[in-house]
Amino acid sequence: SLINILEIIKKYLPKSKYFHPFSSNMFGGSKNKKQNENEPLTPLSIYALGKVTAYHACMLYRNVFDLKICGAIFYNHESEIRPEEYVTRKITKSVARIFYGKQKKIVLGDINTKIDWGYAKDYVEVAYKIMQQKKPEFFVIATGKQYSVKDFVKKCFSYVGLNYKKYLKIDKKFYRPSKTVSLVGDTKKAKKILHYKVKTDLDKLISI
């Protein structure tokens, strides 16, 4: 567990650096248009609750025991190695199969959900940069832009020259039980301290 890792660092490696990845889901009930590092933690899922608990543990060990603990609150970070349980890969793989005649329809839930999508590779590079800072800190890492699932679907079908309306079916069984607000990351702190820039926009991510 995380506590075991932090205890080992405290006892045996107090001068080492530790990086922990957090999730924008910790801000699930946000009332702000954009969220920064001072956003109240309002989890709306068990996953998010776990991340909030990890966040408090890291803050405790950093502040009480003066350990070099840093981290990033990552917004959605997609990649080509995501499994198909994630909507981005479900969409891109389905579009590929439809294009090659191996699938007829794609079935999705609420396509009006808006998401701040980034590229996982870029975010790992930022994680490395965070680790190189003298002062251990936490940063919001995001693109600062949001697109709906519908936008993502349209762009994917457009990439292969197809009209999404011919292949998309909506099924309410795929709707999430808790309605997380549309989260968008405020990366002012990362831009100022890390000189953070978005490398991969949504169109490039889809092409990958």
Side-chain angles (χ1 to χ4, degrees):
S1 73
L2 173 60
I3 298 299
N4 288 338
I5 292 170
L6 297 177
E7 277 295 313
I8 289 167
I9 292 171
K10 178 167 72 91
K11 289 179 182 178
Y12 305 108
L13 301 160
K15 292 184 179 180
S16 66
K17 292 179 181 179
Y18 175 76
F19 177 91
H20 197 89
F22 301 101
S23 169
S24 60
N25 284 285
M26 298 194 304
F27 306 144
S30 174
K31 290 179 172 57
N32 297 313
K33 287 185 178 179
K34 287 192 172 185
Q35 300 80 39
N36 62 26
E37 293 78 8
N38 298 315
E39 177 72 27
L41 303 177
T42 51
L44 295 178
S45 68
I46 298 300
Y47 169 78
L49 185 62
K51 288 292 184 181
V52 167
T53 304
Y55 179 83
H56 285 305
C58 285
M59 290 294 282
L60 186 152
Y61 276 80
R62 189 185 76 168
N63 297 337
V64 176
F65 303 113
D66 201 28
L67 298 184
K68 295 181 176 67
I69 298 172
C70 55
I73 301 166
F74 289 130
Y75 281 60
N76 286 62
H77 39 291
E78 309 303 314
S79 87
E80 57 273 41
I81 61 172
R82 277 271 212 211
E84 209 168 324
E85 287 78 20
Y86 291 85
V87 72
T88 49
R89 290 305 276 148
K90 178 179 179 178
I91 294 167
T92 52
K93 286 194 170 189
S94 293
V95 169
R97 287 193 291 264
I98 288 167
F99 179 76
Y100 287 111
K102 295 181 178 181
Q103 184 174 321
K104 290 183 178 180
K105 297 281 183 182
I106 178 171
V107 184
L108 297 171
D110 185 4
I111 60 170
N112 295 312
T113 300
K114 291 183 177 180
I115 299 171
D116 184 333
W117 274 303
Y119 186 31
K121 182 181 176 183
D122 295 345
Y123 289 12
V124 171
E125 288 176 4
V126 177
Y128 175 81
K129 209 167 186 179
I130 292 171
M131 291 284 283
Q132 310 316 306
Q133 303 301 303
K134 287 185 178 180
K135 183 182 175 184
E137 291 192 63
F138 297 85
F139 294 86
V140 164
I141 302 299
T143 68
K145 294 181 179 180
Q146 60 177 191
Y147 294 89
S148 68
V149 174
K150 183 179 179 180
D151 292 329
F152 195 93
V153 171
K154 286 172 71 175
K155 284 176 177 289
C156 287
F157 275 103
S158 177
Y159 186 77
V160 296
L162 296 175
N163 184 347
Y164 79 99
K165 291 179 182 178
K166 294 180 180 179
Y167 307 99
L168 177 62
K169 185 180 177 184
I170 304 298
D171 190 328
K172 289 191 175 181
K173 75 177 183 182
F174 291 113
Y175 277 50
R176 287 187 173 184
S178 62
K179 182 81 174 173
T180 300
V181 296
S182 297
L183 299 169
V184 186
D186 178 352
T187 58
K188 286 191 183 78
K189 181 180 176 182
K191 286 175 180 174
K192 183 180 179 181
I193 297 174
L194 306 171
H195 307 294
Y196 168 68
K197 291 179 181 178
V198 177
K199 283 187 179 180
T200 309
D201 64 17
L202 191 66
D203 290 313
K204 191 175 179 183
L205 178 63
I206 286 167
S207 72
I208 292 168

